[in-house]
Amino acid sequence: MNNTTLKEIANQLGISITTVSKALKGYSDVSASTKKAVVDLAQQLHYTPNSFAVNLRTKESKTIGLIIPTLVHDFFATVIKGILEEAEKRDYLVIILQSNEKVSFEKKQLELLLQKRVDGILMSLSNETGDFKHITAILQQKTPLVLFDKIAKVVPCSKVTINDQKAAYDAVAYLIKKGHKKIAHLRGSYLPQNAIDRFLGYKKALEDHQIKYDPSLVFACENNLDFEDGYENTKQLIATHPDTDAIFAVTDMAAIGAMKYLSESGIEIPNQIAVLGFSNWFMSEVITPKLSTINQPGFEIGQKAAAILFDEIAAKKANQKVTPQFIEVTTSIIEREST
């Protein structure tokens, strides 16, 4: 990587850094011969301007940071599309980082984005994030921050999410209406708010329909390997509760893992066990049987989160007070063959 600076060019030519900068930008108050000497030397040294440098006049870097927990999920891929579309409208560059569901990575990446002097940060928390000091520190530094999907309720910033509890409640109520009574739940890790809310929605739907909640029907997918966890947990479920008649999974990946085990075991879906996923991953439509799921509109979540962030960046620039927003994007049940 080439790290030639304006200072090195200035030193070699015996002129000021300001003159070098003006020459490279084509200012008319720099003589043609000086301009040529600067441009020639810059090319010779393979000088490239630092795209992350903060524009001193506007105090903007025209970049925002995005931290997502994983790229494997189609949901996050669609979120990124929504964010990039909003950023492009405003000529902004997006630095995309992946925490890999590790809080240690998340902390390092936030530091990196602050060093890069990004104008704002969009973030979905890792499954390990249970302490939010590193996130509130961002707000103390007055850097605009918007959380989406996996959020922290206690952090006083804008958030864009779905109502996970309601979506899960609707999913389980739908299974009950279909006549299922022994419904297992492949839940997410114990820390993320969305996994907690989906579990609470599952539990409440059972109770509201006079079905006793049974903790032995709940299995955690907490190895950040939803497909494998879905498979292994379903294996355990069938060994301990062979009379289960439906499975509600925290993600489509976990649901597909469950379906793989069921089909390998000769258990018919949905005749013997119905399976319902969450997020409407593109794979849910191409597998056999096609997977019923909760549609979680990733593109819209990304677009809205980015739009709010850009509004807050503009407000900061204008020294206006920002009131955090809480946006809930609506979900729906997509009925396919697995139910």
Side-chain angles (χ1 to χ4, degrees), residues 59-60 63-65 90 92 118-121 143-145 306-319 322:
K59 298 211 169 28
E60 285 177 318
T63 58
I64 59 167
R90 296 164 170 85
Y92 257 80
V118 294
D119 295 337
I121 295 171
T143 301
L145 169 73
I308 291 169
L309 185 70
F310 289 123
D311 286 348
E312 292 187 4
I313 289 168
K316 181 191 171 184
K317 200 178 164 189
N319 288 319
V322 171

Side-chain angles (χ1 to χ4, degrees), residues 5 19 33 97 100 191 198 236 262 271 277-279 287 321:
T5 62
T19 305
S33 59
L97 300 170
N100 217 9
L191 280 175
R198 287 174 203 180
Q236 241 180 300
L262 295 174
N271 300 343
F278 202 113
S279 79
I287 56 163
K321 191 179 181 299

